Amino acid sequence: MPDTPLRKQQVCFLARLGAAMSAASYPVTSVRQMLERASTNYGVANDFIALPNHVEVVGQTGSDSGSIVKAAHHDRDLRFDQMFPLARLISDAMGARVTPSDGEIRLDEVLAKERPYRAWVSVLGYAAQSVGLALLLEPTPLNLLVAGGLGVVVGLFWTAGQRVPGLVPMVPVLSAFVVTAVCVIGARKLGMDHVGLRALIPPLAMFLPGVAITLAVIELTARDVVSGSSRLIAGFVQIAQLAFGILIASQMLQTDDTQLTSVAINKIGPWAPWLGVTVYCAGVMMFLAPPRSFLPWLLLITYIGYAAQFVGDLLLGSYASGFCGGVVLTLAALVMTRRRGSPPAVTIILPGFWLLVPGSMGLIGITELFGADGDSALPATLISMVSVSLGMQSGLVLWQLIRHRTQKPGVR
């Protein structure tokens, strides 16, 4: 049994590392797996409590001094660029290749890491990401122009929220209000008789809770009811914030329900969505600031995910397309991580799921609940959001089965 000071350091490091994983969008099942494997390899026994915003590690000292309890949490989510060094630290901790003292130093460096680019680069990157999503959802020349301009505006709101934490809860509502108001007023000035809801999604994409819904389904499937339920509720609240901003703008401008439509329009050509994937990736590189070496992996995984979704839509329909995209995306990402020098699995998977935008139908559906199509909007919303999430879960199960079959002969 390690001495008490070392034991305290191990417990503190594991609690802080688990909290960092939660802040980096790891499911609680992965957090517990890390805590169990790291504790075993460090030669100590711990009890754990892992929740989406709270991790607690309880260790026995083996003496009369009793237990050591350390709780940790983070008030903010980790940025995407911080996930890369964090993933390396997680791997080293699970293999006991780093001492707790060195691990805490490295963790402090991850948490203190500043954004690689200036704020204006991030704003332009988000505008490019918005244009890329516009090419995917509703590729028209006017929509691309609007997506780029409003992407800059929302990027500025997001930057202000990063600098003034008190503004963070208001940014989604304010962004949705401004985006809707600009689209409605612009449509009237141009003599248009409707505003496409799909035109509103690209500038608001960062607020869509696709990751939260996906993690909720994974955790609920793994019987982590508390964590899964809390993430699911948080996801619905975020959708409601966006819908609230849209509805307030619509009511203030006296927009009729029939003027908000969700019909897809493509005035550029069938090649536009495929170009949109590249534009989206360029925006991700600027806005989320991953290492430059990540670009080839990003292009590969996003094109694989979008192609699977496209084929699934043709063969099985729109709802099943998300499931197909989730399955293929997850399997492809896990296969890629088998190659030496590949990025961590979580960093490969997340951009692909952001491209699939599982929350898009949620935004459209909740808005239409207040219109003529309310009777069918909610079921469509739920099915669309869960589709991608179940696809990811199915991909993980298939991967485990494949690994089991390939490793079984070796065991014998």
Side-chain angles (χ1 to χ4, degrees), residues 115-128 282-283 285-289:
R115 292 189 63 87
Y117 303 141
R118 294 182 179 273
W120 65 268
V121 177
S122 299
V123 171
L124 291 180
Y126 187 71
M285 293 298 296
M286 297 171 64
F287 177 59
L288 299 178

Side-chain angles (χ1 to χ4, degrees), residues 226-309:
V226 174
S227 298
S229 300
S230 62
R231 288 193 198 271
L232 194 62
I233 293 171
F236 277 118
V237 169
Q238 199 161 347
I239 293 174
Q241 285 181 305
L242 296 177
F244 179 75
I246 293 173
L247 292 169
I248 291 298
S250 300
Q251 290 181 359
M252 287 184 62
L253 296 172
Q254 297 180 344
T255 303
D256 187 78
D257 295 331
T258 59
Q259 294 177 293
L260 295 176
T261 67
S262 59
V263 179
I265 302 173
N266 187 341
K267 294 184 178 180
I268 295 180
W271 50 267
W274 299 96
L275 174 62
V277 176
T278 298
V279 177
Y280 167 81
C281 291
V284 167
M285 293 298 296
M286 297 171 64
F287 177 59
L288 299 178
R292 294 180 181 178
S293 59
F294 183 65
L295 180 58
W297 301 98
L298 176 62
L299 286 168
L300 181 59
I301 195 64
T302 49
Y303 269 106
I304 288 175
Y306 179 71
Q309 188 180 41

